[in-house]
Amino acid sequence: MSSEHKALLLGAGFVCPPAVQALSEAGVHVTVASRTLSAAEAVTDGRSNTSAISLDITDSGALDSAVADADIVISLVPYIFHAAVVKSAIKHTKPVVTTSYISPALWELNEEAKEAGITVLNEIGLDPGIDHLYAVKTIDEVHRAGGKITSFTSYCGALPAPSDANNPLGYKFSWSPRGGLLALLNSAQWYENGKIVEVNGKDLMASAKPHDHFSQFDLVGYPNRDSVGFKEFYNIPEAETVFRGTLRYKGFPEIIRTLVAIGFFSQEKLAILDSEKDGSLTWAQLTAELLGLSSDAGEADIEAAVLEKASFLSEEERERVVSGLRWIGLFSVDQVEAHGSPIDTLCAVLEKKMAYGPGERDMIALQHRFEVLRADGARETRSSTLIEYGEPIGPGSRSAMAKLVGLPCAVGTLAVLRGQIKEKGMIAPWTSAQIATLLRDELKKKYKIELNERSFIELEEQVF
């Protein structure tokens, strides 16, 4: 590809380096833009064909100037900023690539983007992204053969490798945990046996169930937000069940449910958590306050109050959860680093205690399962599975998550630049089987990223 092509990449998060490397190696000059120049420079450091700039995305004039100077815009900032980016891109007739779901705010810009003649490729990361590429592959194959998808279930988990899941939650953060924690309070809905099933956000963790399709791991799964629309997106109106879920290690949901019950997920500002105070508040005192106990309550009283709040725990779970809360430090006399609200104060300590350490690895586990009624009447179960481990944490290492989000993003960007994706407006890999095939084949050929596909056909019982 000609080095004349210029990409503006907005953001400097951990998924950016693989995308920047892949694009620069393909001959695209990548300008990485971040509010903090040093963050952008960290992404471009040591890479040829790149540059770094400081850019406040909320400054429409500065954004317009940067967009006007690029051939394509890659938006890897939080999704709430995508609409502003796309509006600027429409003004300057520049295509856009994001790894996020197409939000209602983006759908509102669909016709404007079409009129401007620009492609806005979304949902080309891991989840969403790679998951789409293999969902539509199997669905298209089944439909072409005259079959029907009677059930589609999909689970994905971004986790520590089993050997590094060495804390009571079996989870670690490589970014600020606030968004991930609050997502555990999202409501969810899906199709099950032909009916829409809903779960309120406060009950999301209670809906977690053991997941045995990855028998080598001790996992549980819970619903991932709104799966109802995927019946239409994937063109499977015949499906009785359409479900997408998230994977975590066993024990995670019970600790989260207990933290919620105590009040640690509250976003309400509390006077005792005013960061301007003298810093004499202990974790035991904060936990006691949230439980309605006196500030001089002892550890035994606090534990008893916790278990009363968490009456949903089994006897086995009670001991494990209390041990986990003690590990976090909720009963300790250590001083609290106050951040205004319980959730922000909790995030500050979890970000430190649950960070990946040197030499540790992350892991991605993704699986689709399709129940199929074939044209010949036979019933078939098909699966598509991916298990990917990141590189051990160290200078220049890439996590599995960074690789599986950044590289699909780069492949999508190159496809748009090369004119291989001609559709205009808001599109995603599920838009057409042709787009999905193009991106999937390139990921497999160039980066050996693919899902392992298997099939099992149910045979009718023979009577002899």
Side-chain angles (χ1 to χ4, degrees):
M1 176 172 290
S2 169
S3 60
E4 294 176 1
H5 282 99
K6 297 185 293 184
L8 171 66
L9 189 149
L10 302 171
F14 72 103
V15 303
C16 296
V20 171
Q21 180 178 352
L23 290 170
S24 63
E25 289 177 352
V28 178
H29 181 90
V30 185
T31 298
V32 178
S34 175
R35 181 190 293 267
T36 306
L37 179 60
S38 60
E41 289 174 336
V43 176
T44 60
D45 184 39
R47 302 193 193 285
S48 61
N49 215 17
T50 64
S51 56
I53 63 172
S54 172
L55 175 65
D56 181 352
I57 203 169
T58 63
D59 181 341
S60 58
L63 177 61
D64 280 348
S65 178
V67 168
D69 194 42
D71 297 312
I72 193 167
V73 182
I74 306 161
S75 188
L76 295 179
V77 291
Y79 78 94
I80 58 173
F81 297 112
H82 291 332
V85 173
V86 172
K87 286 178 183 177
S88 180
I90 289 171
K91 186 187 304 183
H92 298 286
T93 62
K94 307 292 184 178
V96 180
V97 176
T98 86
T99 58
S100 305
Y101 287 107
I102 304 177
S103 67
L106 286 186
W107 277 123
E108 289 181 4
L109 298 171
N110 187 39
E111 291 306 316
E112 288 184 51
K114 286 182 178 179
E115 289 172 8
I118 67 167
T119 298
V120 183
L121 174 62
N122 305 272
E123 306 188 20
I124 184 57
L126 166 64
D127 175 8
I130 293 173
D131 58 347
H132 290 327
L133 301 181
Y134 282 84
V136 298
K137 178 179 186 292
T138 295
I139 291 166
D140 188 54
E141 289 171 352
V142 168
H143 285 171
R144 284 177 180 273
K148 296 179 178 180
I149 304 290
T150 60
S151 173
F152 168 77
T153 59
S154 176
Y155 283 92
C156 185
L159 303 158
S163 60
D164 298 318
N166 48 13
N167 65 54
L169 285 94
Y171 194 72
K172 293 194 173 178
F173 297 100
S174 53
W175 62 92
S176 175
R178 192 179 198 274
L181 290 177
L182 289 177
L184 301 173
L185 300 179
N186 285 335
S187 59
Q189 60 176 351
W190 64 94
Y191 280 103
E192 188 172 320
N193 298 323
K195 296 180 180 179
I196 293 179
V197 179
E198 299 180 75
V199 60
N200 191 287
K202 65 181 177 61
D203 300 317
L204 184 67
M205 291 296 95
S207 69
K209 297 177 181 177
H211 184 81
D212 56 6
H213 294 155
F214 290 102
S215 57
Q216 67 272 51
F217 311 123
D218 199 1
L219 301 176
V220 296
Y222 55 86
N224 180 9
R225 293 190 276 193
D226 188 355
S227 298
V228 170
F230 286 87
K231 194 170 191 176
E232 178 183 352
F233 298 155
Y234 287 165
N235 189 28
I236 45 174
E238 72 274 21
E240 294 282 298
T241 296
V242 178
F243 177 92
R244 300 171 75 251
T246 299
L247 296 172
R248 293 289 181 263
Y249 286 111
K250 181 181 177 182
F252 178 90
E254 290 76 26
I255 293 180
I256 296 299
R257 287 183 73 188
T258 304
L259 289 169
V260 171
I262 295 170
F264 271 106
F265 271 53
S266 171
Q267 299 179 65
E268 181 183 353
K269 296 291 184 181
L270 299 181
I272 62 168
L273 291 177
D274 185 343
S275 59
E276 300 298 317
K277 297 243 176 167
D278 62 7
S280 60
L281 181 70
T282 70
W283 277 99
Q285 289 172 334
L286 174 57
T287 306
E289 171 76 16
L290 294 176
L291 290 166
L293 301 176
S294 65
S295 60
D296 60 352
E299 183 173 336
D301 290 333
I302 297 175
E303 285 188 18
V306 166
L307 293 175
E308 186 175 342
K309 283 278 188 182
S311 57
F312 45 80
L313 297 173
S314 68
E315 193 64 38
E316 176 191 358
E317 292 167 346
R318 287 157 68 98
E319 184 175 342
R320 188 172 68 238
V321 167
V322 168
S323 175
L325 300 185
R326 187 176 291 114
W327 175 83
I328 295 172
L330 302 192
F331 309 137
S332 76
V333 295
D334 294 342
Q335 289 191 350
V336 172
E337 181 184 316
H339 288 271
S341 69
I343 184 67
D344 290 310
T345 301
L346 177 66
C347 283
V349 72
L350 292 185
E351 190 168 3
K352 295 174 182 176
K353 295 183 75 75
M354 295 173 64
Y356 281 93
E360 295 185 335
R361 299 186 300 164
D362 72 327
M363 176 185 78
I364 300 297
L366 166 65
Q367 186 178 77
H368 298 321
R369 289 181 72 87
F370 310 83
E371 300 300 333
V372 177
L373 179 60
R374 301 192 342 169
D376 61 6
R379 293 196 174 272
E380 178 183 9
T381 298
R382 297 180 63 167
S383 65
S384 304
T385 306
L386 171 70
I387 298 175
E388 180 86 18
Y389 291 93
E391 298 168 358
I393 297 295
S397 66
R398 292 196 302 190
S399 67
M401 175 64 89
K403 173 184 175 181
L404 296 180
V405 175
L407 293 181
C409 177
V411 165
T413 300
L414 291 171
V416 175
L417 276 176
R418 290 166 176 160
Q420 294 171 298
I421 297 178
K422 302 186 184 303
E423 288 82 351
K424 307 303 178 185
M426 301 300 146
I427 63 172
W430 45 261
T431 302
S432 75
Q434 291 76 19
I435 292 174
T437 299
L438 167 71
L439 299 174
R440 184 177 58 246
D441 288 353
E442 186 65 15
L443 280 170
K444 179 179 178 179
K445 179 177 72 175
K446 182 81 173 174
Y447 301 110
K448 296 182 172 52
I449 295 174
E450 61 179 317
L451 271 61
N452 178 32
E453 298 175 288
R454 301 185 65 185
S455 171
F456 171 75
I457 300 174
E458 294 182 21
L459 300 177
E460 292 186 6
E461 185 178 349
Q462 301 294 312
V463 179
F464 297 96

